[in-house]
Amino acid sequence: MTGDRSGQFYIDGGWCDPVGDAPRIAVIDPATETQIGTIAAGSAADVDRAVAAALRAFDSFSVSPVADRIALLETIAALMEQRAEAFAQAIALEMGAAIGFARASQVPFAIAHVRAQIDVLCGYRFERPDAGFTLVKEAIGVCALITPWNWPLYQITAKVAPAIAAGCPVVLKPSEMSPYSALLFAEVVHDAGLPAGVFNLVNGTGEAVGAALSAHPDVAMISITGSTRAGVLVAQAAAVSVKRVVQELGGKSPNLFLDDADFGAAVPRAVMAGMRNVGQSCSAPTRLLVPAARLADVEALAAQAAGEWRVGAPTDEATTMGPIANAAQYARVQAMIEAGLAEGARLICGGPGRPADLNRGYYVRPTIFSGVTRDMRIAREEIFGPVLCIMPYADDADAVTLANDTVYGLGAHVQSGDAARAQAVARRIRSGQVHINYPAWTAHAPFGGYKQSGNGREYGVHGFEEYLETKAILA
């Protein structure tokens, strides 16, 4: 952990103190509910300094040789791999990810985003002749990046890597609730030798740093991953300067089981997909849509799978589910479980409160409701915890209607023994990604939402192009 940097920001190629007498923000260990440190809270003046540094770097970095940017990304990836254990330990500490999950998913997937942008950059054509004109793709300008606490490192690289690949200097505002992995990443970037001003980090709150970045006239683009509410606020502030806004926001993703699915294999995996990272993923498939005739079978399989999670201290090698990441989210999850009970959903496992053997920490019991109807809050609102809803449907048309009956459209899953049937259903779901029969994850598949789940895309070439402007030269 980089405790010695916790009171500083990374601006213009070096570590610096905040402008003025900056207040401190407490960092809480979610496993013990105790303060483990503080970070400096940035201000609009700190944002101005960081944006100015990025703007100074833009002219030269935006036209830097592609080979140089590839080499920088290669060095960043190599350094992250060398320091993978430090990153995993930081993530387990700051947001409570089980250490095994941090090592197997949080860190490797973050590195994969860097590797994916290397792949993109190696083959991308920035100039393309066409009939009567030349199409030119150019770096958009200074980019502000706002990242969340639930996948802290993964979301940083999903934004920073394509920005660097495109030739865009950045100002990063990581979540103030999970700051340590971001500080470690800043050390990686520094050691990789990025030119001064290309990467800048200012810690702080959304109300101060996030708002200043959103409204800043010298920021050409802002990319935010967070709640739909936060995304709306950023877009409103950004509208004044007509900057590009890319938003990856909330979700209420369905997992649709067709009647020919392998329920014995697919239901346990559905519980794993919905509850991994303690359910704190915006694309988590938390609505299990199942044929009414198979409801009892699904309930039994799901309850058994939920019982296999080992809830406990994140640093315990045997733990598979750590705590919720912070006090506010813990309170939200508990309130939503109570809402499910109050509205008449049938609890088949879990429920309110901590597991019986834990009396401290933001721990939640893996919880599954059945008999959930589409008007219930737990069916409509994002819970962001290990809480799943089983919802019966009558036929395929009803299932698709149910899948689309949400203001969100980030992710979806379809389970079926018939590939053609699954593909046909996937095409009818209004969602940015649809996974059929739990395919392997890839950092190249575009990720982003329909409806209130956001605008724009991340990952691979589609995420890369969000950082580019399009110019036509007619001659």
Side-chain angles (χ1 to χ4, degrees), residues 99-111:
I99 188 62
F101 182 75
R103 289 171 178 153
S105 297
Q106 289 266 7
V107 177
F109 291 173
I111 298 169

Side-chain angles (χ1 to χ4, degrees), residues 342-388:
E343 291 185 325
R346 185 158 39 86
L347 187 68
I348 65 170
C349 67
R354 299 180 182 86
D357 59 335
L358 296 167
N359 57 19
R360 192 177 191 185
Y362 305 132
Y363 294 100
V364 174
R365 300 168 67 191
T367 298
I368 301 177
F369 288 101
S370 189
V372 176
T373 57
R374 64 184 69 193
D375 59 321
M376 293 179 179
R377 286 183 65 196
I378 58 172
R380 307 203 68 80
E381 298 181 28
E382 186 175 44
I383 299 173
F384 229 58
V387 182
L388 308 185

Side-chain angles (χ1 to χ4, degrees), residues 211-220 222 232-245:
L213 286 169
S214 302
H216 204 290
D218 290 331
V219 169
I222 187 160
V232 169
L233 292 173
V234 164
Q236 289 173 334
V240 177
S241 53
V242 200
K243 59 173 56 68
R244 183 178 298 173
V245 179

Side-chain angles (χ1 to χ4, degrees), residues 52 66 142 144 150 152 155 162 169 182 191 205 215 246 269-270 273 303 313 318 329 353 382 431 450 472:
V66 168
V142 173
N150 58 319
Q155 284 294 344
D191 292 346
T205 65
V246 175
R269 295 188 70 178
Q329 188 55 34
E382 186 175 44
S431 177
Y450 287 30

Side-chain angles (χ1 to χ4, degrees), residues 73-83 111 114-115 188:
L73 291 169
E74 289 277 13
T75 303
I76 289 170
L79 289 172
M80 290 181 71
E81 286 165 354
Q82 292 171 17
R83 303 174 192 182
I111 298 169
V114 183
R115 293 288 182 196
V188 162

Side-chain angles (χ1 to χ4, degrees), residues 149-162:
W149 46 259
N150 58 319
W151 287 84
L153 182 63
Y154 172 97
Q155 284 294 344
I156 287 171
T157 58
K159 299 180 190 300
V160 173

